[in-house]
Amino acid sequence: MNRRIVAEQLASHLFTTEEAVDTTLALMGDLIAAMPRARLEAGLAAGIGQLAVDHVLEAATGMAHVRRSLIAAHGALAEAKDQVGLRRVTLVGGGDKSADDVPRTGQLREVKSA
């Protein structure tokens, strides 16, 4: 199979996985916020459900590590792409992963002048 096609398929898997992790992390944030609100709305003592909160926070920390590892894998795959002669090939889908840049969505949008 053509190297470019293989790289595009792999990139698609990577972008899908990165999006799934970000979605999961965002949903966990919603859950973390909802848990103390639910306790307050139900008028329960502060200690009720604390163990559950601890477990969800632990899981969120784990997801942050997963996200960090995927970002590192993304960089390593970009290097591998260069090593197999695909340096000039742009694989579209996940946006630029540079930490210093604004996240890209792959869509154009109008910019209003200052």
Side-chain angles (χ1 to χ4, degrees), residues 14 17-18 21-22 25 60-76 97:
L14 177 64
T17 302
E18 289 173 335
V21 168
D22 279 348
L25 203 49
T61 299
M63 288 304 298
H65 291 295
V66 167
R67 188 175 190 276
R68 190 174 297 110
S69 294
L70 277 175
I71 291 168
H74 193 121
K97 298 300 183 228

Side-chain angles (χ1 to χ4, degrees), residues 17-104:
T17 302
E18 289 173 335
E19 184 176 339
V21 168
D22 279 348
T23 298
T24 301
L25 203 49
L27 289 169
M28 291 180 98
D30 294 342
L31 176 59
I32 290 166
M35 294 174 83
R37 281 193 206 113
R39 184 196 63 80
L40 289 169
E41 288 175 13
L44 300 172
I48 301 295
Q50 182 58 45
L51 185 58
V53 171
D54 291 342
H55 287 306
V56 173
L57 289 170
E58 182 181 351
T61 299
M63 288 304 298
H65 291 295
V66 167
R67 188 175 190 276
R68 190 174 297 110
S69 294
L70 277 175
I71 291 168
H74 193 121
L77 285 169
E79 289 178 22
K81 178 182 74 116
D82 294 349
Q83 292 169 353
V84 298
L86 297 174
R87 179 181 306 268
R88 295 180 186 241
V89 175
T90 302
L91 302 173
V92 183
D96 182 6
K97 298 300 183 228
S98 172
D100 298 329
D101 204 356
V102 176
R104 303 183 194 285

